[in-house]
PDB file of all heavy atoms in Angstrom:
ATOM      1  N   ALA A 223      -2.759  31.060   9.284  1.00  0.00           N
ATOM      2  CA  ALA A 223      -1.579  31.071  10.142  1.00  0.00           C
ATOM      3  C   ALA A 223      -1.697  32.017  11.324  1.00  0.00           C
ATOM      4  O   ALA A 223      -0.957  31.897  12.274  1.00  0.00           O
ATOM      5  CB  ALA A 223      -0.348  31.421   9.330  1.00  0.00           C
ATOM      6  N   PHE A 257      14.124  27.874  15.414  1.00  0.00           N
ATOM      7  CA  PHE A 257      12.754  28.063  15.909  1.00  0.00           C
ATOM      8  C   PHE A 257      12.748  28.123  17.427  1.00  0.00           C
ATOM      9  O   PHE A 257      12.121  29.011  18.020  1.00  0.00           O
ATOM     10  CB  PHE A 257      11.858  26.918  15.426  1.00  0.00           C
ATOM     11  CG  PHE A 257      10.460  26.985  15.968  1.00  0.00           C
ATOM     12  CD1 PHE A 257       9.512  27.782  15.361  1.00  0.00           C
ATOM     13  CD2 PHE A 257      10.092  26.247  17.091  1.00  0.00           C
ATOM     14  CE1 PHE A 257       8.211  27.848  15.865  1.00  0.00           C
ATOM     15  CE2 PHE A 257       8.807  26.310  17.595  1.00  0.00           C
ATOM     16  CZ  PHE A 257       7.861  27.114  16.980  1.00  0.00           C
ATOM     17  N   VAL A 260      13.941  31.477  19.002  1.00  0.00           N
ATOM     18  CA  VAL A 260      12.970  32.562  18.892  1.00  0.00           C
ATOM     19  C   VAL A 260      11.718  32.261  19.719  1.00  0.00           C
ATOM     20  O   VAL A 260      11.187  33.142  20.403  1.00  0.00           O
ATOM     21  CB  VAL A 260      12.608  32.817  17.410  1.00  0.00           C
ATOM     22  CG1 VAL A 260      11.516  33.872  17.275  1.00  0.00           C
ATOM     23  CG2 VAL A 260      13.854  33.237  16.633  1.00  0.00           C
ATOM     24  N   PHE A 261      11.258  31.022  19.696  1.00  0.00           N
ATOM     25  CA  PHE A 261      10.053  30.642  20.433  1.00  0.00           C
ATOM     26  C   PHE A 261      10.210  30.886  21.930  1.00  0.00           C
ATOM     27  O   PHE A 261       9.278  31.329  22.600  1.00  0.00           O
ATOM     28  CB  PHE A 261       9.710  29.171  20.167  1.00  0.00           C
ATOM     29  CG  PHE A 261       8.493  28.691  20.902  1.00  0.00           C
ATOM     30  CD1 PHE A 261       7.232  29.040  20.470  1.00  0.00           C
ATOM     31  CD2 PHE A 261       8.613  27.891  22.030  1.00  0.00           C
ATOM     32  CE1 PHE A 261       6.099  28.603  21.144  1.00  0.00           C
ATOM     33  CE2 PHE A 261       7.497  27.451  22.715  1.00  0.00           C
ATOM     34  CZ  PHE A 261       6.232  27.816  22.270  1.00  0.00           C
ATOM     35  N   ARG A 262      11.376  30.595  22.450  1.00  0.00           N
ATOM     36  CA  ARG A 262      11.610  30.757  23.899  1.00  0.00           C
ATOM     37  C   ARG A 262      11.673  32.221  24.329  1.00  0.00           C
ATOM     38  O   ARG A 262      11.385  32.522  25.486  1.00  0.00           O
ATOM     39  CB  ARG A 262      12.896  30.047  24.297  1.00  0.00           C
ATOM     40  CG  ARG A 262      12.750  28.549  24.294  1.00  0.00           C
ATOM     41  CD  ARG A 262      14.034  27.882  24.734  1.00  0.00           C
ATOM     42  NE  ARG A 262      13.827  26.463  24.924  1.00  0.00           N
ATOM     43  CZ  ARG A 262      14.695  25.541  24.574  1.00  0.00           C
ATOM     44  NH1 ARG A 262      15.855  25.877  24.025  1.00  0.00           N
ATOM     45  NH2 ARG A 262      14.433  24.269  24.786  1.00  0.00           N
ATOM     46  N   PRO A 264      10.519  35.356  22.208  1.00  0.00           N
ATOM     47  CA  PRO A 264      10.105  36.113  21.023  1.00  0.00           C
ATOM     48  C   PRO A 264      10.174  37.625  21.247  1.00  0.00           C
ATOM     49  O   PRO A 264       9.945  38.116  22.343  1.00  0.00           O
ATOM     50  CB  PRO A 264       8.662  35.666  20.800  1.00  0.00           C
ATOM     51  CG  PRO A 264       8.203  35.185  22.131  1.00  0.00           C
ATOM     52  CD  PRO A 264       9.411  34.647  22.829  1.00  0.00           C
ATOM     53  N   GLN A 265      10.502  38.323  20.176  1.00  0.00           N
ATOM     54  CA  GLN A 265      10.472  39.776  20.175  1.00  0.00           C
ATOM     55  C   GLN A 265       9.057  40.213  19.793  1.00  0.00           C
ATOM     56  O   GLN A 265       8.245  39.411  19.319  1.00  0.00           O
ATOM     57  CB  GLN A 265      11.490  40.322  19.160  1.00  0.00           C
ATOM     58  CG  GLN A 265      12.916  39.842  19.403  1.00  0.00           C
ATOM     59  CD  GLN A 265      13.448  40.278  20.757  1.00  0.00           C
ATOM     60  OE1 GLN A 265      13.410  41.454  21.095  1.00  0.00           O
ATOM     61  NE2 GLN A 265      13.923  39.319  21.544  1.00  0.00           N
ATOM     62  N   GLN A 268       7.734  39.210  16.346  1.00  0.00           N
ATOM     63  CA  GLN A 268       7.689  37.781  16.039  1.00  0.00           C
ATOM     64  C   GLN A 268       6.449  37.178  16.685  1.00  0.00           C
ATOM     65  O   GLN A 268       6.258  37.277  17.901  1.00  0.00           O
ATOM     66  CB  GLN A 268       8.945  37.093  16.573  1.00  0.00           C
ATOM     67  CG  GLN A 268      10.202  37.621  15.930  1.00  0.00           C
ATOM     68  CD  GLN A 268      11.460  37.224  16.674  1.00  0.00           C
ATOM     69  OE1 GLN A 268      11.474  37.114  17.889  1.00  0.00           O
ATOM     70  NE2 GLN A 268      12.536  37.027  15.914  1.00  0.00           N
ATOM     71  N   GLN A 269       5.598  36.570  15.862  1.00  0.00           N
ATOM     72  CA  GLN A 269       4.327  36.064  16.373  1.00  0.00           C
ATOM     73  C   GLN A 269       3.832  34.872  15.570  1.00  0.00           C
ATOM     74  O   GLN A 269       4.438  34.491  14.587  1.00  0.00           O
ATOM     75  CB  GLN A 269       3.281  37.169  16.353  1.00  0.00           C
ATOM     76  CG  GLN A 269       3.124  37.823  15.000  1.00  0.00           C
ATOM     77  CD  GLN A 269       2.338  39.116  15.066  1.00  0.00           C
ATOM     78  OE1 GLN A 269       1.725  39.425  16.059  1.00  0.00           O
ATOM     79  NE2 GLN A 269       2.353  39.861  13.983  1.00  0.00           N
ATOM     80  N   TYR A 270       2.724  34.302  15.992  1.00  0.00           N
ATOM     81  CA  TYR A 270       2.039  33.208  15.299  1.00  0.00           C
ATOM     82  C   TYR A 270       2.936  31.974  15.115  1.00  0.00           C
ATOM     83  O   TYR A 270       3.196  31.525  14.016  1.00  0.00           O
ATOM     84  CB  TYR A 270       1.469  33.659  13.954  1.00  0.00           C
ATOM     85  CG  TYR A 270       0.666  34.920  14.037  1.00  0.00           C
ATOM     86  CD1 TYR A 270       0.975  36.019  13.236  1.00  0.00           C
ATOM     87  CD2 TYR A 270      -0.386  35.047  14.935  1.00  0.00           C
ATOM     88  CE1 TYR A 270       0.239  37.183  13.313  1.00  0.00           C
ATOM     89  CE2 TYR A 270      -1.122  36.222  15.024  1.00  0.00           C
ATOM     90  CZ  TYR A 270      -0.799  37.288  14.210  1.00  0.00           C
ATOM     91  OH  TYR A 270      -1.510  38.439  14.297  1.00  0.00           O
ATOM     92  N   PHE A 271       3.381  31.402  16.197  1.00  0.00           N
ATOM     93  CA  PHE A 271       4.264  30.246  16.181  1.00  0.00           C
ATOM     94  C   PHE A 271       3.452  28.965  16.010  1.00  0.00           C
ATOM     95  O   PHE A 271       2.492  28.729  16.737  1.00  0.00           O
ATOM     96  CB  PHE A 271       5.049  30.171  17.494  1.00  0.00           C
ATOM     97  CG  PHE A 271       6.043  31.284  17.641  1.00  0.00           C
ATOM     98  CD1 PHE A 271       5.650  32.512  18.133  1.00  0.00           C
ATOM     99  CD2 PHE A 271       7.362  31.098  17.277  1.00  0.00           C
ATOM    100  CE1 PHE A 271       6.559  33.552  18.263  1.00  0.00           C
ATOM    101  CE2 PHE A 271       8.285  32.132  17.401  1.00  0.00           C
ATOM    102  CZ  PHE A 271       7.873  33.361  17.898  1.00  0.00           C
ATOM    103  N   LEU A 272       3.849  28.144  15.042  1.00  0.00           N
ATOM    104  CA  LEU A 272       3.209  26.856  14.805  1.00  0.00           C
ATOM    105  C   LEU A 272       4.283  25.817  14.495  1.00  0.00           C
ATOM    106  O   LEU A 272       5.348  26.157  13.974  1.00  0.00           O
ATOM    107  CB  LEU A 272       2.241  26.919  13.628  1.00  0.00           C
ATOM    108  CG  LEU A 272       1.017  27.794  13.832  1.00  0.00           C
ATOM    109  CD1 LEU A 272       1.174  29.086  13.063  1.00  0.00           C
ATOM    110  CD2 LEU A 272      -0.215  27.075  13.371  1.00  0.00           C
ATOM    111  N   ILE A 273       3.964  24.581  14.805  1.00  0.00           N
ATOM    112  CA  ILE A 273       4.800  23.459  14.370  1.00  0.00           C
ATOM    113  C   ILE A 273       3.898  22.478  13.629  1.00  0.00           C
ATOM    114  O   ILE A 273       2.689  22.452  13.829  1.00  0.00           O
ATOM    115  CB  ILE A 273       5.506  22.748  15.546  1.00  0.00           C
ATOM    116  CG1 ILE A 273       4.492  22.260  16.593  1.00  0.00           C
ATOM    117  CG2 ILE A 273       6.568  23.644  16.156  1.00  0.00           C
ATOM    118  CD1 ILE A 273       5.110  21.402  17.688  1.00  0.00           C
ATOM    119  N   VAL A 288       0.058  22.492  14.341  1.00  0.00           N
ATOM    120  CA  VAL A 288      -0.359  22.582  15.735  1.00  0.00           C
ATOM    121  C   VAL A 288      -0.108  24.017  16.205  1.00  0.00           C
ATOM    122  O   VAL A 288       0.989  24.561  16.006  1.00  0.00           O
ATOM    123  CB  VAL A 288       0.414  21.570  16.610  1.00  0.00           C
ATOM    124  CG1 VAL A 288       0.052  21.723  18.077  1.00  0.00           C
ATOM    125  CG2 VAL A 288       0.145  20.138  16.124  1.00  0.00           C
ATOM    126  N   ALA A 289      -1.119  24.619  16.826  1.00  0.00           N
ATOM    127  CA  ALA A 289      -1.064  26.015  17.275  1.00  0.00           C
ATOM    128  C   ALA A 289      -1.176  26.093  18.795  1.00  0.00           C
ATOM    129  O   ALA A 289      -1.285  25.074  19.476  1.00  0.00           O
ATOM    130  CB  ALA A 289      -2.199  26.798  16.617  1.00  0.00           C
ATOM    131  N   ASP A 290      -1.203  27.320  19.302  1.00  0.00           N
ATOM    132  CA  ASP A 290      -1.329  27.580  20.754  1.00  0.00           C
ATOM    133  C   ASP A 290      -0.277  26.789  21.522  1.00  0.00           C
ATOM    134  O   ASP A 290      -0.579  26.052  22.458  1.00  0.00           O
ATOM    135  CB  ASP A 290      -2.729  27.243  21.262  1.00  0.00           C
ATOM    136  CG  ASP A 290      -3.806  28.081  20.610  1.00  0.00           C
ATOM    137  OD1 ASP A 290      -3.494  29.195  20.130  1.00  0.00           O
ATOM    138  OD2 ASP A 290      -4.962  27.631  20.561  1.00  0.00           O
ATOM    139  N   LEU A 291       0.961  26.956  21.113  1.00  0.00           N
ATOM    140  CA  LEU A 291       2.051  26.130  21.610  1.00  0.00           C
ATOM    141  C   LEU A 291       2.539  26.510  23.001  1.00  0.00           C
ATOM    142  O   LEU A 291       2.634  27.680  23.344  1.00  0.00           O
ATOM    143  CB  LEU A 291       3.244  26.227  20.653  1.00  0.00           C
ATOM    144  CG  LEU A 291       3.013  25.716  19.237  1.00  0.00           C
ATOM    145  CD1 LEU A 291       4.242  25.998  18.381  1.00  0.00           C
ATOM    146  CD2 LEU A 291       2.694  24.235  19.245  1.00  0.00           C
ATOM    147  N   MET A 329       7.014  27.246  11.819  1.00  0.00           N
ATOM    148  CA  MET A 329       6.877  28.564  11.202  1.00  0.00           C
ATOM    149  C   MET A 329       6.535  29.604  12.256  1.00  0.00           C
ATOM    150  O   MET A 329       6.042  29.283  13.329  1.00  0.00           O
ATOM    151  CB  MET A 329       5.802  28.556  10.123  1.00  0.00           C
ATOM    152  CG  MET A 329       4.388  28.322  10.645  1.00  0.00           C
ATOM    153  SD  MET A 329       3.096  28.644   9.432  1.00  0.00           S
ATOM    154  CE  MET A 329       3.053  30.425   9.460  1.00  0.00           C
ATOM    155  N   PHE A 330       6.816  30.831  11.928  1.00  0.00           N
ATOM    156  CA  PHE A 330       6.319  31.984  12.656  1.00  0.00           C
ATOM    157  C   PHE A 330       6.363  33.159  11.698  1.00  0.00           C
ATOM    158  O   PHE A 330       6.893  33.061  10.588  1.00  0.00           O
ATOM    159  CB  PHE A 330       7.083  32.249  13.964  1.00  0.00           C
ATOM    160  CG  PHE A 330       8.549  32.575  13.807  1.00  0.00           C
ATOM    161  CD1 PHE A 330       8.985  33.892  13.666  1.00  0.00           C
ATOM    162  CD2 PHE A 330       9.488  31.564  13.839  1.00  0.00           C
ATOM    163  CE1 PHE A 330      10.335  34.185  13.551  1.00  0.00           C
ATOM    164  CE2 PHE A 330      10.844  31.850  13.733  1.00  0.00           C
ATOM    165  CZ  PHE A 330      11.271  33.164  13.586  1.00  0.00           C
ATOM    166  N   VAL A 331       5.767  34.257  12.101  1.00  0.00           N
ATOM    167  CA  VAL A 331       5.738  35.462  11.277  1.00  0.00           C
ATOM    168  C   VAL A 331       6.587  36.514  11.974  1.00  0.00           C
ATOM    169  O   VAL A 331       6.438  36.752  13.173  1.00  0.00           O
ATOM    170  CB  VAL A 331       4.291  35.959  11.068  1.00  0.00           C
ATOM    171  CG1 VAL A 331       4.274  37.274  10.302  1.00  0.00           C
ATOM    172  CG2 VAL A 331       3.475  34.896  10.337  1.00  0.00           C
TER     173      VAL A 331
END
Side-chain angles (χ1 to χ4, degrees):
F257 176 83
V260 176
F261 179 76
R262 287 182 171 140
Q265 303 299 307
Q268 298 165 326
Q269 54 194 348
Y270 310 125
F271 292 84
L272 294 105
I273 56 173
V288 176
D290 298 336
L291 297 175
M329 66 168 283
F330 63 91
V331 176

